[in-house]
Amino acid sequence: MLVVMQEGAEEAQTQNVINRLVSMGFIVHRSSGMLHTVLGGVGPVGDVDPIEFEVMPGVKECHRIVSPYKLASRHFKPAGTRIQIGDVEIGGDQVVVMAGPCSVESRDQIGQVAEAVAASGAKVLRGGAFKPRSSPYSFQGMGEDGLKLLREAADRNKLLLVSEVMDQTQIPLLAAYVDILQVGARNMQNYNLLRELGALRKPVLLKRGISATIEELLLSAEYILSGGNYDVILCERGIRTFENSTRNTMDISAIPVVKALSHLPIVADPSHATGRRDKVLPMARAAVAAGADGLLVEVHHDPDHALSDGAQSLYPSQFAELMNQLRIIAPAVGRSV
Ligand code: PEP
Ligand code: MN
């Protein structure tokens, strides 16, 4: 913790800050310059919020020197985390593409889409059986029947399966069917869910919240890691900004920022980030060029009749084209597809 005192701060104010730091367990190093006194507190960072010091009389500013998350930090595992699921490695040399419809709708639908994405080179089938919809009147998903259809289609096409878990009571059900449990953007700060997922021994794909900072995303990952589940995959899926040309604003820079701050793999979801299929390919290319470990892409064989997110779902032929483009881009940044 670094506390910079205001110019002309009184000695009593400085002592007050020192006493506070010491009472919290910090060892304080004091350095007095011409204008400012700087206090360096070495010790337990835990949950100390710099604002607690910034509101004290005589304090100019206060900064944390180390991050508030530990297990999610790159320092914890400098070489990076690789998650092995069957013969697929996430966070390794290969860019892993996860693709499928927004929601599973029928055996015929998921069968057709799974076959198409597998033929183009996807490694993981995606599809929601429990859907977090903005309106309670929208299609809410097929539930367990949908999970059965997803598993069947994934197995038939030798794909892994990722699907969303909406609350902690659903964890055992999801865990029985899927290889990766997805936490949706709306649930990134559902701390009860995150804690329960920490007790699970299955990979979790954690999406960035609609208005979450990268630090908040990494703190949410910390909840899962601190429970002993180290297989967490982060996902940039766009954040809400003032820009309304696209459904969300895809924060491509989050990819290199997360890579520097954390050892966890990060994938990108250009479908929810843009909300329109004509923008999915360019954003997918950009994400892979920026260092994403994988992509999560919505594909539907008949998007005009999709029960959710049809406008952002690629036609199978567009998905095939996306994979072809990645076969050029990935090697340019030292990866394969
Ligand atoms: C999804 O992947 O289907 C989904 C609902 O995404 P998000 O949580 O990012 O909105
Ligand atoms: Mn969707």
Side-chain angles (χ1 to χ4, degrees):
M1 197 62 77
L2 204 70
V3 185
V4 182
M5 301 303 294
Q6 286 166 1
E7 200 179 328
E10 292 165 20
E11 180 57 23
Q13 293 174 330
T14 305
Q15 277 306 327
N16 208 15
V17 174
I18 293 173
N19 294 343
R20 179 89 182 262
L21 283 164
V22 169
S23 74
M24 290 170 128
F26 287 97
I27 294 166
V28 182
H29 300 264
R30 176 174 179 160
S31 144
S32 298
M34 292 275 283
L35 299 176
H36 299 283
T37 292
V38 177
L39 305 172
V42 182
V45 184
D47 208 16
V48 184
D49 187 338
I51 293 174
E52 287 183 38
F53 288 94
E54 287 187 347
V55 295
M56 290 179 74
V59 173
K60 180 170 182 279
E61 56 199 74
C62 176
H63 304 278
R64 253 195 215 113
I65 304 169
V66 295
S67 58
Y69 43 85
K70 301 273 165 286
L71 304 173
S73 161
R74 167 83 44 188
H75 299 299
F76 186 69
K77 214 171 170 185
T81 285
R82 293 171 179 238
I83 300 174
Q84 190 74 40
I85 318 171
D87 57 2
V88 175
E89 186 183 55
I90 300 173
D93 295 335
Q94 198 175 29
V95 173
V96 176
V97 180
M98 313 178 185
C102 178
S103 312
V104 53
E105 299 166 4
S106 68
R107 175 174 278 123
D108 177 53
Q109 173 241 20
I110 198 63
Q112 287 202 49
V113 179
E115 196 179 324
V117 299
S120 294
K123 294 279 185 274
V124 183
L125 178 66
R126 66 143 289 147
F130 296 97
K131 297 303 302 176
R133 305 304 301 281
S134 301
S135 163
Y137 308 117
S138 301
F139 175 60
Q140 304 287 307
M142 290 183 72
E144 185 170 4
D145 289 345
L147 290 174
K148 287 185 182 146
L149 297 178
L150 281 163
R151 187 73 258 172
E152 183 184 298
D155 289 346
R156 184 171 307 132
N157 292 282
K158 299 192 170 45
L159 295 167
L160 296 174
L161 179 61
V162 58
S163 194
E164 179 162 352
V165 58
M166 278 179 52
D167 68 62
Q168 64 267 38
T169 64
Q170 294 174 344
I171 294 176
L173 180 63
L174 265 291
Y177 287 97
V178 310
D179 302 294
I180 306 171
L181 284 84
Q182 175 174 323
V183 176
R186 292 156 192 80
N187 263 322
M188 190 204 84
Q189 288 176 312
N190 180 342
Y191 300 118
N192 291 333
L193 174 61
L194 300 178
R195 274 197 195 287
E196 294 279 329
L197 288 169
L200 189 71
R201 292 297 172 263
K202 268 209 168 182
V204 174
L205 183 125
L206 176 64
K207 287 190 148 198
R208 181 178 181 182
I210 288 168
S211 61
T213 63
I214 291 170
E215 184 172 289
E216 286 165 341
L217 172 64
L218 294 175
L219 281 167
S220 288
E222 188 85 6
Y223 268 86
I224 304 172
L225 299 169
S226 63
N229 185 353
Y230 295 114
D231 290 342
V232 177
I233 305 153
L234 304 170
C235 180
E236 164 59 38
R237 49 77 72 207
I239 46 175
R240 187 166 286 180
T241 69
F242 50 82
E243 180 51 63
N244 57 12
S245 307
T246 48
R247 180 175 176 183
N248 291 292
T249 299
M250 187 151 182
D251 184 4
I252 295 281
S253 62
I255 297 163
V257 170
V258 164
K259 283 269 161 212
L261 293 175
S262 176
H263 56 87
L264 296 171
I266 177 162
V267 303
D269 173 349
S271 307
H272 292 88
T274 62
R276 359 179 350 144
R277 77 174 68 92
D278 61 337
K279 300 291 180 276
V280 171
L281 267 71
M283 287 295 99
R285 294 195 297 264
V288 171
D293 295 299
L295 294 176
L296 184 70
V297 183
E298 288 187 343
V299 180
H300 199 289
H301 70 294
D302 182 13
D304 292 341
H305 296 102
L307 296 183
S308 58
D309 286 349
Q312 67 194 33
S313 299
L314 297 181
Y315 290 95
S317 59
Q318 292 178 304
F319 180 68
E321 173 58 18
L322 165 58
M323 295 300 292
N324 283 336
Q325 293 184 2
L326 296 189
R327 288 187 188 101
I328 298 167
I329 292 185
V333 291
R335 312 290 287 266
S336 61
V337 184

